[in-house]
């Protein structure tokens, strides 16, 4: 009896062959991979589903429903969820996958046999792209650093993070003697988050290095942009991205340039610390870099600097862009609803008075404990992020090696991806319990005030940070940064939009857009 190779076995074979090829030979690989995709689609078409799970019909093999979904993901998600129910199959991005909604979401997110990192890596392999040894920095090891070193120390890190946010803001707006129009919120927020993250990750001394800050700010977007397919047909063959990322990691001057600059920038400080640690009177730096030097020795053959750069790249990719994007979403909601700003500023001043802190004072006005008491601001954050334009998200792969059967009888075979119907769980009043009689499609800023549901609390109807034991471990740091950024803007500046804010209806970005003016408040 002949045993047909699995999809993953063939992909591994292609990756092995591809690692020995020059970039000029990618065309041949693409042709071969197209044939492999057609082969598996052929099998999918003629292998009948045993669980009778409904499926979105499509006309053209290989392309499936990808084009229809990409053109209008909201309409697609609403239509097929209404017609097929909470669990159904859809052919997206070159493979048949399962979409789950409502109560079935927990069966995916709380089951350790479904893995988020495995699924994401199929489309965005950070380790391959940034030349990070995959066996050294895994999803679990990165999580441990955040859980054990970052989150427990947020209170201690907050003062330097706030100071860095202020510096980052001034990097973009300057002295601001006159009102200034900016084309987008993202660049302002991105610089602020890069400064704050660097102060915690590599320490206050290295955070003064503007070249390193530029890397923290831009690396995710710059390297990620290398993956944008120049030919739209690439979206139908996401498996090719893995091959492309391996090549970019090895040969791209952009990747090599960032690595070299980071190594050169960090090496003197690393050497200074290693030498200083020999002195009993040495004052230990308090940051993630020092934790890495003490607790995570490099592998033989890898320099200490290169090892630390690998870790910094991992932390940057996981945090700076996502936090900046989410902060951008919240600020655009405020620009769309400017009447909220006065009420949020009033809350801020009231909390400061309660703590005996003078309104308008420096960075100490935004301590860890004070920021936690901005409950209206927290509600605005949760509500704005609940309404973020995302559709089928948080894909997870069945890594168990065997069929997993959901409570409704649907079978998820080994290697198949499951998408979470983010749109449904966040917006459908038949399922979402946050409605309290108010339309869930509307932005209601005070929806979560005094509900015991802060913006860091994950749940079936708030999936921004995932759910279960693998929920984003850095969400407390991210929300702390977002709330501090907004609090600083409200305290010291007036901001107003100069055009209609546009919220996207696309799978390419979750960020709104629109020009705005920022000006200093008169003291």
């Amino acid at each position: 009896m002949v045993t047909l190779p699995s999809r993953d076995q063939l992909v591994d074979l292609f990756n092995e062959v591809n690692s020995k090829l020059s970039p000029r030979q990618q065309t041949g690989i693409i042709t071969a991979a197209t044939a492999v995709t057609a082969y598996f689609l052929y099998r999918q078409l003629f292998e009948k589903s045993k669980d009778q799970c409904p499926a979105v019909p499509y006309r053209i093999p290989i392309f499936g429903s990808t084009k229809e979904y990409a053109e209008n993901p909201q309409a697609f998600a609403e239509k097929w969820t209404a017609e097929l129910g909470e669990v159904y199959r859809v052919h997206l991005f070159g493979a048949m996958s399962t979409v789950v909604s409502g109560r079935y979401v927990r069966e995916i997110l709380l089951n350790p046999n479904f893995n988020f990192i495995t699924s994401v890596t199929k489309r965005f392999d950070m380790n391959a792209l940034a030349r990070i040894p995959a066996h050294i920095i895994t999803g679990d090891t990165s999580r441990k650093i955040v859980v054990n070193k970052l989150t427990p120390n947020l209170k201690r890190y907050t003062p330097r993070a706030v100071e860095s946010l202020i510096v980052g803001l001034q990097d973009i707006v300057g002295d601001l003697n006159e009102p200034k129009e900016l084309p987008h919120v993202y660049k302002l927020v991105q610089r602020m988050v890069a400064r704050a993250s660097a102060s915690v990750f590599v320490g206050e001394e290295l955070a003064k290095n503007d070249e390193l800050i530029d890397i923290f700010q831009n690396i995710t977007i710059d390297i990620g942009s290398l993956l944008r397919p120049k030919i739209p047909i690439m979206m139908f063959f996401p498996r090719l991205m893995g091959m492309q990322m391996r090549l970019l990691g090895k040969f791209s001057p952009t990747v090599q340039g960032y690595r070299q600059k980071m190594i050169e920038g960090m090496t003197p400080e690393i050497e200074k610390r290693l030498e200083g640690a020999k002195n009993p009177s040495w004052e230990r730096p308090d940051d993630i870099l020092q934790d890495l030097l003490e607790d995570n020795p490099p592998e033989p053959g890898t320099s200490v600097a290169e090892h630390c750069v690998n870790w910094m790249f991992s932390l940057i990719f996981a945090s700076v862009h996502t936090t900046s994007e989410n902060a951008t979403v919240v600020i655009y909601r405020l620009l769309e609803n400017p009447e909220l700003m006065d009420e949020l500023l009033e809350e801020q001043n009231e909390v400061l008075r309660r703590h005996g802190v003078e309104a308008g004072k420096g960075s100490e006005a935004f301590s860890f404990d004070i920021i936690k008491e901005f409950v209206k601001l927290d509600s605005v954050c949760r509500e704005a992020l609940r309404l973020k334009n995302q559709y089928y998200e948080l894909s997870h792969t069945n890594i168990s090696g065997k069929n997993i059967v959901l409570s409704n009888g649907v079978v998820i075979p080994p290697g198949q991806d499951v998408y979470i119907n983010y749109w449904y769980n966040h917006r459908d009043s038949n399922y979402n319990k946050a409605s309290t009689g108010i339309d869930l499609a509307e932005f209601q800023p005070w929806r979560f005030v005094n509900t015991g549901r802060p913006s860091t609390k994950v749940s079936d109807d708030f999936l921004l940070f995932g759910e279960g034991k693998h929920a984003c471990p850095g969400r407390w740091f991210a929300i702390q940064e977002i709330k501090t950024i907004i609090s600083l803007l409200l305290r010291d500046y007036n901001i107003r939009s100069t055009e209609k804010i546009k919220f996207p209806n696309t799978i390419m970005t979750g960020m709104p857009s629109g020009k705005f003016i920022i000006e200093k408040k008169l003291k």
Side-chain angles (χ1 to χ4, degrees):
M1 180 178 179
V2 178
T3 302
L4 294 174
S6 71
R7 182 199 309 266
D8 288 338
Q9 287 172 328
L10 283 176
V11 169
D12 289 342
L13 176 62
F14 272 117
N15 283 337
E16 181 181 347
V17 172
N18 185 67
S19 67
K20 302 174 183 177
L21 298 177
S22 70
R24 294 181 180 179
Q25 294 172 302
Q26 290 182 75
T27 302
I29 288 292
I30 291 173
T31 302
T34 302
V36 172
T37 302
Y39 160 75
F40 279 106
L41 282 170
Y42 175 85
R43 289 183 63 182
Q44 289 173 359
L45 284 171
F46 290 96
E47 287 180 354
K48 208 168 183 179
S49 171
K50 297 178 181 179
D51 58 11
Q52 302 303 312
C53 179
V56 175
Y58 60 91
R59 291 178 298 173
I60 305 175
I62 299 178
F63 298 109
S65 299
T66 304
K67 184 173 181 291
E68 182 185 354
Y69 175 67
E71 286 176 347
N72 194 332
Q74 177 180 335
F76 187 93
E78 290 178 348
K79 174 184 177 181
W80 292 111
T81 305
E83 291 192 19
L84 301 180
E86 293 183 331
V87 181
Y88 52 93
R89 293 208 165 92
V90 60
H91 195 293
L92 289 179
F93 310 118
M96 186 66 80
S97 302
T98 301
V99 173
V100 300
S101 317
R103 62 190 183 277
Y104 299 104
V105 161
R106 296 177 65 81
E107 297 186 32
I108 306 301
L109 300 183
L110 303 184
N111 187 333
N113 291 313
F114 288 106
N115 191 278
F116 173 68
I117 298 297
T118 300
S119 184
V120 169
T121 300
K122 296 175 186 177
R123 288 166 285 276
F124 186 78
D125 189 344
M126 178 198 70
N127 287 346
L129 189 57
R131 290 175 58 192
I132 300 171
H135 64 289
I136 298 298
I137 304 178
T138 64
D140 286 339
T141 55
S142 294
R143 182 181 184 83
K144 286 177 183 176
I145 286 290
V146 175
V147 170
N148 297 329
K149 303 298 184 181
L150 175 60
T151 303
N153 299 313
L154 276 185
K155 194 169 187 175
R156 197 170 72 245
Y157 288 145
T158 295
R160 78 174 69 166
V162 176
E163 290 282 2
S164 299
L165 289 171
I166 294 172
V167 174
L169 193 155
Q170 292 170 345
D171 285 345
I172 300 298
V173 303
D175 293 334
L176 209 64
N177 294 321
E178 295 182 354
K180 185 174 185 178
E181 184 176 67
L182 296 175
H184 202 281
V185 168
Y186 180 75
K187 281 294 182 185
L188 171 64
V189 171
Q190 183 191 33
R191 186 67 175 189
M192 297 174 74
V193 172
R195 285 276 187 195
S197 299
S199 73
V200 174
F201 294 167
V202 296
E204 295 175 277
E205 192 60 37
L206 282 175
K208 298 173 185 175
N209 184 325
D210 286 343
E211 190 170 53
L212 282 183
I213 296 302
D214 288 342
I215 294 173
F216 268 76
Q217 178 180 348
N218 298 315
I219 185 172
T220 305
I221 294 295
D222 287 354
I223 292 183
S225 67
L226 297 174
L227 296 174
R228 286 183 192 150
K230 295 180 179 179
I231 306 173
I233 200 171
M234 283 290 286
M235 77 167 64
F236 302 105
F237 306 103
R239 294 276 182 169
L240 299 181
M241 287 292 191
M243 303 172 196
Q244 183 184 12
M245 282 182 274
R246 290 168 67 93
L247 290 170
L248 287 171
K250 288 183 178 180
F251 302 110
S252 167
T254 301
V255 176
Q256 293 174 355
Y258 272 127
R259 288 190 66 87
Q260 191 58 37
K261 286 179 182 178
M262 198 81 166
I263 290 171
E264 291 172 358
M266 291 178 61
T267 295
E269 176 67 13
I270 290 172
E271 291 177 346
K272 177 182 173 182
R273 294 185 182 201
L274 293 174
E275 188 63 31
K278 300 174 184 177
N279 187 337
S281 61
W282 175 65
E283 187 175 342
R284 180 191 184 276
D286 184 18
D287 48 53
I288 302 299
L289 174 59
Q290 189 60 35
D291 293 329
L292 293 172
L293 289 173
E294 294 172 358
D295 302 335
N296 294 80
E299 278 195 321
T302 302
S303 71
V304 177
E306 187 174 8
H307 178 70
C308 291
V309 165
N310 287 337
W311 270 101
M312 288 305 136
F313 276 8
S314 177
L315 291 170
I316 292 168
F317 272 88
S319 63
V320 174
H321 170 67
T322 52
T323 301
S324 301
E325 179 178 291
N326 289 333
T328 298
V329 169
V330 179
I331 293 171
Y332 270 119
R333 284 293 180 185
L334 292 177
L335 287 170
E336 185 186 45
N337 301 274
E339 71 280 359
L340 301 178
M341 297 186 202
D342 286 341
E343 190 162 352
L344 291 176
L345 183 59
E346 183 181 331
E347 176 188 56
Q348 180 182 136
N349 291 334
E350 181 185 334
V351 172
L352 293 177
R353 283 194 298 270
R354 218 164 41 232
H355 282 261
V357 177
E358 181 183 344
K361 206 173 179 181
S363 59
E364 61 267 34
F366 300 121
S367 69
F368 179 85
D369 292 326
I370 287 174
I371 287 290
K372 279 183 68 175
E373 293 188 30
F374 296 163
V375 293
K376 288 184 177 179
L377 175 57
D378 191 86
S379 177
V380 168
C381 290
R382 186 178 177 100
E383 177 71 349
L385 296 173
R386 181 186 70 82
L387 288 174
K388 190 175 179 182
N389 284 33
Q390 294 183 303
Y391 309 94
Y392 297 159
E393 303 289 337
L394 295 172
S395 59
H396 283 61
T397 301
N398 175 2
I399 60 171
S400 69
K402 58 185 180 182
N403 288 339
I404 296 176
V405 183
L406 302 185
S407 61
N408 64 348
V410 168
V411 176
I412 312 296
Q416 187 176 97
D417 285 337
V418 180
Y419 289 97
I420 304 302
N421 195 342
Y422 186 102
W423 186 265
Y424 175 86
N425 275 46
H426 280 212
R427 296 178 183 245
D428 194 295
S429 59
N430 291 321
Y431 178 73
N432 192 311
K433 306 307 180 190
S435 58
T436 61
I438 303 173
D439 186 356
L440 283 166
E442 292 182 6
F443 174 70
Q444 295 291 336
W446 319 131
R447 190 188 297 273
F448 297 104
V449 174
N450 297 324
T451 63
R453 305 176 75 189
S455 50
T456 54
K457 184 177 179 61
V458 298
S459 60
D460 292 0
D461 52 12
F462 187 66
L463 298 165
L464 181 80
F465 298 112
E467 194 174 14
K469 69 177 184 178
H470 292 297
C472 174
R475 62 189 183 275
W476 289 276
F477 184 46
I479 291 296
Q480 179 86 357
E481 285 184 294
I482 293 170
K483 289 162 70 174
T484 306
I485 288 168
I486 294 169
S487 298
L488 286 167
L489 289 172
L490 292 174
R491 183 188 72 178
D492 297 332
Y493 299 91
N494 293 313
I495 56 174
R496 66 181 187 276
S497 61
T498 57
E499 60 183 11
K500 182 177 175 58
I501 307 301
K502 297 177 182 176
F503 288 87
N505 181 14
T506 172
I507 60 172
M508 300 305 292
T509 180
M511 281 194 288
S513 60
K515 296 177 183 177
F516 73 105
I517 285 177
I518 181 170
E519 60 182 340
K520 265 187 179 178
K521 282 187 175 176
L522 298 176
K523 298 295 184 181

